[in-house]
Amino acid sequence: MKFVKWEDLKSGMRLARPIYSKSGVLLYERDAKLTDAGIESVKNFGLLGIYILEPAEPLPPMSEEDLEFEKFEIKTVSSLQDELGRIVSTKKQRNLPTLVSQIIRKYGHHDDKVHFYQNLRSKDDFVCRHMFNTAILCALMASRMNISVENRLILVTAALVHDVGKMKSANDAVYGGETDPDKIAAMYDEAIKTCEEFEDVFASDGPMIRRICQQALRCQKAADLHMPLEVKKVITEAKILQVAGRYDEITGMSLTGESLSEVRAILEFQDNEEIYDPNVVQALIDSVFILFPGVSVELSSGEKALIINENPQNILKPTVITFRQNSIMDLSDSDHSDIRVVDIMKTLDNRYIMTDSQAEGINIS
């Protein structure tokens, strides 16, 4: 499965995710083939792109829990967007506590991992969907870390509003893929400043919500701009929000069409332990399925392999069977200390894919 920008879509491509209207009506089923009219619909909906199945890729199964996740997301995001618009314009909330309670009820007491599905986004709902996804991850991680029920409610509320300052921003850095440090800094500064208003919106919980949001945003600003960071004063809830938000940013779609794998997110976290708390990262790993038996991966040695056993102690060092040599490797063994998983295979087809210009240069006469 891969993310394809709408301008690169072609008729006949198979959908990996269903497409719904903004009112929640199913328009295109999974595995449906795109038509020219369908591509035009994607453009008209303002979607940045859609998830497409590889030509030979079977349709991944979806459990009842997976379908429930999808239905909950569709049903909730529209309500959340209305509520966030109200908060921005009137500095008052109405339905947010209900939405927070729903997320906590569904994901704040989970004992098992969940499949965390990325959703389709447009410029119109990009920030809202990011905050919704972040809130679900925060609920899952807070449960794993035994955060008190009261603080879980405050944390999920913070996740649902932490980026509200970006909703009306004209700064394209909001949608990811931006490299200009001035634009990135301005984006964070605008969001951090907006958090000052939370003390009026959320009454007695306002100071704590503001603190969580501002600390998480400042931490990620420092990480993105390679600035020095003092983490000793950062509270656990802000660390959770930072990791959850960054995970969704990396694995979700951006305005540039870039969508990286869950493994790339874990690599960033584990390679920067001074920025991302290892205990918080482990809570994320324990909450969502990332690398499990049956997943095809790329190794740091350049080989491609299939995971046959997870490694709870180090997710990037599972037991695999390599495609080239058909041999089993336990990456946790000292013999393979320099090898780890570096990505999920981007295609299930091992044939070399030529560009159009390369194909034009081949003489078959």
Side-chain angles (χ1 to χ4, degrees), residues 159-179:
L160 287 176
V161 299
H162 73 283
D163 269 350
V164 75
K166 300 177 183 178
M167 289 187 68
K168 300 297 183 182
S169 176
N171 188 341
D172 277 348
V174 167
Y175 307 107
E178 182 59 65
T179 57

Side-chain angles (χ1 to χ4, degrees), residues 123-141:
K123 270 193 170 185
D124 181 53
D125 62 13
F126 188 95
V127 176
C128 175
R129 287 183 183 273
H130 165 64
M131 290 190 288
F132 174 78
N133 280 1
T134 301
I136 289 177
L137 290 172
C138 283
L140 290 165
M141 295 160 66

Side-chain angles (χ1 to χ4, degrees), residues 185 218-219 221-230 275:
R218 285 180 178 133
C219 285
K221 174 185 176 182
D224 287 356
L225 297 176
H226 308 290
M227 298 164 55
L229 179 64
E230 176 57 64
I275 298 173

Side-chain angles (χ1 to χ4, degrees), residues 317 328-340:
K317 284 185 164 289
I328 294 177
M329 296 172 58
D330 183 350
L331 301 185
S332 65
D333 285 349
S334 56
D335 292 342
H336 307 302
S337 60
D338 59 338
I339 301 177
R340 63 177 178 173

